[in-house]
Amino acid sequence: MALTAIGAVLAPVSPVFAADPPRADLRADVNRDGRVDATGATDTAGEDSWSPRTGAVFLPNIDDDTKRCAVTGPNGRPLPDAKLAACNDAADTKVNGSGDAADLARVRSVPMTDLPTTATGRLKVVAGGNKTRVFVKRSSGWTWVTAGTRLSAAELRSGLEFGVEGTDVIRDSAVWDGRAVIRLTVTSGGNSASDDVTLRVAPLLTHHHLQNAQQLMVTKVRGSDDYARRQQAFVKGLAAEVRSAGINKPLLTFDKYDDIWAQDFVEPGYVSMAGPGGSRQAMRVMLRSAQPDRAAGRELFEKLRGNGVGVVQVSGVRDSEEATLNSMGNLETIPPYTHNGRSFPAGRIIMGERKDSGSKPAKAMRTLLKSQGFQDPLLLDTSWLHVGHVDEFVQFLPADTPRGWKIAIADPEAGLRLLREAQAAGHGRTRMFSVPGSPGMPAPKETIDQALASRWLVSDNTMAAKRIKANLEVLQRETGATDAEVVRVPALYTRGTQEGERGERMPRLTRMGAGKVPDVVREYGQQQELARHADRAGAAPETVMTSAYVPGAVNGIVLGGGRYLAPRQWGPVIGGKDIFTSAVNTAYTGAGMKVSYLDDWYTYHLGQGEVHCGTNTLRDASGAWWKP
């Protein structure tokens, strides 16, 4: 009868004799130092388990190192989304290109120096096999390990090197939690012995603002009409601000689908594992928004996917799930923190939900994010916002504090106070907005007096302040951030930023979703009607959804190096100074940030978004997510 030993670990290695059962010993990078120790004992403890801080890691090999993935079919027509997403380096059984070998996690067998020539071995993935692929390195190159692969006695005596890749990210931990158990079985003289190692696929993580910005992305609208020229001028201004902030890589521009909301159709993320010499082997992963009808997401496959860049899209999004909540501007990340026994060394995701109606972001996306096991999404209430994205009222700033960051929060009460103080000082007839008009786009004419006398402005902002306060309480309770770690940024919201309210024409695309202007206007009219009924009944208009009145300063870009890019405020000019710009400067400089401004009034602000909404940021992924 064959004698089998499972989980055997030997350190140091003892001689193996033909008369004795073989003693298999498989090693992986358990301590995550970038090498597999096959001679000592540094990678033996915990090889059969896995935790956030220890245990071998492998990558989901979903990039396209040789750019072999097609974007059109044989007939030249664009491939459907499902076929675009199906192709990557892990879609075949080859190691594609020299760079791809670096994406393989190494596993080694300890040399069995005295093994007889009649001995044989085999390797098998005994758990997680449908999402895990193993290659063996031979003189001819990397070879896929199948059920028929046999390892010779000569190879076992020398010690073998294996490469492990994942074929996908974790989608649902209830289906696959990312673990793979690999077993080496050696047979000699009628006796067999086996050894297992456990690995887990690297979590797909989103970026936070303590990671330095390396490159910015933006859509560049085609054409030569008035809007296209304005938007192209915005792109030019953005490039100048990026260079001024010391970011040397040129802008990465989307130029095929004219969806101006580059923040919304993608969330840049990353996966990484320990690499040689203590470095990181990282892969960018572009997480496409859960909006199947949003064509701009296709450009992630068509333009970005390549060496070191993969793309993930979710499936199973229901039509009933509110589209705007699935935009990625509704996904931001709290920087790393530990509080009340919970630790988030890679930061924690926040997303908005409409508690008033029960609408949430797509379940498939929430399941994918939670299943990574590291950034458990925290839902905030965005019922009061017309677009409903968290980036409209909150962001996180690097800061010299024990936790390394502060919460920047929109403050409508401060915005109202600025107007009231100006009015009290005799400036009530000053124009509310200093933005100049242009052909076909007249400048707003209301004054401070008229704004404060508005039927809605004060009540809308009182409501917004109440909702923001409730969200801030959630953030402080979850993170432990104190009041001293909150940066209050003056802001104003209004229901009156829709087409026709001030005689202004909205951009060709609103932030509610590319090309859905009629839906937005119709929904906006319904909200106004609800508010009118509430007003006649003497109730506070809590059902009203608002958008930024003055360009939302918190809806800007943390560039790194203490630099912050905000939308130009275009507020009332008194004594030669824009009072909102001065107040925003005070808020951010008090937090250690140097502020610059970019005009987005006619390009993004009137479409219910700001500088942040129209851009996206690739950040440094070289840190170790497993270290606190």
Side-chain angles (χ1 to χ4, degrees):
M1 181 180 295
L3 177 63
T4 303
I6 305 296
V9 175
L10 289 179
V13 179
S14 301
V16 180
F17 300 96
D20 297 324
R23 304 183 69 180
D25 195 349
L26 200 60
R27 306 282 180 90
D29 184 15
V30 175
N31 65 358
R32 302 179 190 168
D33 66 354
R35 69 184 189 93
V36 179
D37 183 1
T39 59
T42 60
D43 280 325
T44 57
E47 69 171 12
D48 296 322
S49 61
W50 201 93
S51 74
R53 299 210 180 160
T54 186
V57 177
F58 64 109
L59 295 183
N61 197 10
I62 57 173
D63 61 351
D64 181 13
D65 282 331
T66 58
K67 295 288 287 186
R68 65 184 179 82
C69 292
V71 297
T72 57
N75 56 7
R77 294 178 180 176
L79 290 174
D81 285 0
K83 286 193 175 182
L84 278 179
C87 185
N88 54 52
D89 281 346
D92 62 18
T93 57
K94 300 177 181 179
V95 176
N96 299 288
S98 58
D100 204 36
D103 293 335
L104 302 178
R106 299 304 199 268
V107 172
R108 296 179 183 273
S109 68
V110 174
M112 307 173 72
T113 55
D114 294 325
L115 201 66
T117 57
T118 55
T120 61
R122 55 188 175 88
L123 197 80
K124 183 179 181 181
V125 182
V126 295
N130 62 333
K131 298 291 186 182
T132 309
R133 186 176 292 114
V134 182
F135 299 90
V136 59
K137 190 174 185 180
R138 287 175 164 155
S139 58
S140 58
W142 292 96
T143 303
W144 178 35
V145 175
T146 68
T149 300
R150 291 295 177 261
L151 309 174
S152 70
E155 290 175 317
L156 292 165
R157 285 196 295 264
S158 298
L160 289 128
E161 180 180 3
F162 303 96
V164 183
E165 69 176 10
T167 60
D168 199 2
V169 299
I170 303 170
R171 303 271 178 165
D172 183 347
S173 57
V175 176
W176 180 51
D177 68 356
R179 294 174 191 258
V181 178
I182 299 175
R183 177 173 297 167
L184 172 65
T185 300
V186 179
T187 302
S188 177
N191 295 316
S192 295
S194 299
D195 188 31
D196 296 353
V197 292
T198 297
L199 304 90
R200 184 191 187 271
V201 75
L204 170 55
L205 302 172
T206 59
H207 288 288
H208 55 79
H209 288 165
L210 301 193
Q211 296 169 307
N212 289 330
Q214 295 180 326
Q215 189 173 23
L216 266 73
M217 303 188 292
V218 65
T219 298
K220 188 173 183 179
V221 173
R222 299 164 295 177
S224 58
D225 62 20
D226 288 344
Y227 181 79
R229 287 197 298 270
R230 290 188 184 98
Q231 202 276 335
Q232 291 158 15
F234 173 89
V235 173
K236 185 177 179 180
L238 177 66
E241 292 292 345
V242 167
R243 288 192 300 270
S244 179
I247 300 173
N248 296 322
K249 288 187 177 181
L251 297 180
L252 196 163
T253 58
F254 299 107
D255 49 23
K256 188 173 180 180
Y257 297 97
D258 287 356
D259 186 334
I260 63 173
W261 308 108
Q263 184 67 216
D264 288 346
F265 55 80
V266 58
E267 181 69 24
Y270 66 101
V271 293
S272 65
M273 64 181 180
S279 64
R280 306 285 170 264
Q281 180 64 22
M283 182 186 299
R284 292 199 185 280
V285 178
M286 302 293 112
L287 185 56
R288 185 181 183 180
S289 66
Q291 298 166 312
D293 60 345
R294 194 162 198 164
R298 293 177 55 86
E299 200 162 3
L300 305 175
F301 297 100
E302 295 165 344
K303 185 170 186 176
L304 267 64
R305 179 173 56 187
N307 187 5
V309 181
V311 183
V312 165
Q313 68 180 28
V314 300
S315 58
V317 180
R318 300 190 299 270
D319 291 340
S320 61
E321 293 174 317
E322 189 175 357
T324 182
L325 295 184
N326 292 327
S327 292
M328 292 311 204
N330 194 34
L331 190 161
E332 295 298 314
T333 307
I334 306 171
Y337 73 91
T338 298
H339 182 61
N340 280 346
R342 298 192 72 186
S343 180
F344 296 91
R348 187 179 185 186
I349 289 169
I350 57 171
M351 304 177 81
E353 63 173 334
R354 296 198 189 279
K355 286 190 175 181
D356 291 1
S357 65
S359 295
K360 299 179 186 291
K363 183 178 180 181
M365 180 64 76
R366 288 184 284 119
T367 298
L368 182 148
L369 296 170
K370 185 177 178 61
S371 292
Q372 306 310 308
F374 283 81
Q375 295 180 312
D376 186 19
L378 174 66
L379 296 183
L380 301 178
D381 180 21
T382 56
S383 304
W384 55 283
L385 287 164
H386 192 74
V387 176
H389 297 178
V390 290
D391 69 352
E392 296 178 80
F393 71 94
V394 65
Q395 66 182 192
F396 303 92
L397 305 176
D400 186 15
T401 67
R403 74 182 73 249
W405 52 268
K406 290 185 176 183
I407 301 171
I409 199 85
D411 188 350
E413 291 177 334
L416 287 174
R417 188 162 55 250
L418 284 174
L419 297 188
R420 287 167 173 158
E421 289 174 351
Q423 186 182 57
H427 302 291
R429 298 178 67 180
T430 300
R431 283 196 174 188
M432 180 65 218
F433 296 103
S434 52
V435 60
S438 62
M441 303 288 279
K445 296 180 180 179
E446 66 258 44
T447 65
I448 292 175
D449 283 342
Q450 289 171 332
L452 288 174
S454 163
R455 183 180 179 186
W456 304 116
L457 186 69
V458 174
S459 62
D460 285 353
N461 281 282
T462 300
M463 178 273 294
K466 177 182 175 182
R467 296 296 187 104
I468 290 171
K469 180 182 178 182
N471 281 313
L472 179 59
E473 287 174 352
V474 172
L475 287 169
Q476 290 185 281
R477 181 177 66 246
E478 290 291 327
T479 66
T482 65
D483 288 344
E485 294 169 303
V486 176
V487 179
R488 299 181 184 276
V489 183
L492 285 175
Y493 295 89
T494 182
R495 74 193 70 192
T497 57
Q498 295 294 327
E499 187 171 11
E501 179 70 17
R502 292 197 296 258
E504 297 157 337
R505 181 168 58 85
M506 295 164 61
R508 64 177 74 182
L509 303 175
T510 76
R511 205 187 179 195
M512 294 294 291
K516 295 185 178 179
V517 175
D519 292 341
V520 175
V521 174
R522 182 167 53 252
E523 182 181 347
Y524 169 67
Q526 293 168 351
Q527 290 300 324
Q528 282 192 313
E529 184 62 26
L530 286 171
R532 283 193 289 270
H533 283 301
D535 185 59
R536 285 195 293 269
E542 291 289 305
T543 56
V544 172
M545 296 181 183
T546 65
S547 297
Y549 183 49
V550 176
V554 295
N555 208 343
I557 310 169
V558 176
L559 293 173
R563 297 291 297 268
Y564 181 71
L565 181 61
R568 185 166 179 176
Q569 295 294 279
W570 293 119
V573 175
I574 298 173
K577 293 184 179 180
D578 180 332
I579 62 173
F580 273 84
T581 298
S582 296
V584 169
N585 284 340
T586 298
Y588 280 100
T589 55
M593 306 291 288
K594 180 180 179 181
V595 189
S596 57
Y597 294 88
L598 183 59
D599 178 18
D600 72 353
W601 184 276
Y602 292 114
T603 48
Y604 294 93
H605 174 66
L606 295 185
Q608 301 181 301
E610 308 293 357
V611 170
H612 182 263
C613 313
T615 61
N616 221 312
T617 312
L618 301 178
R619 296 184 179 273
D620 180 23
S622 63
W625 47 263
W626 54 89
K627 292 184 179 180

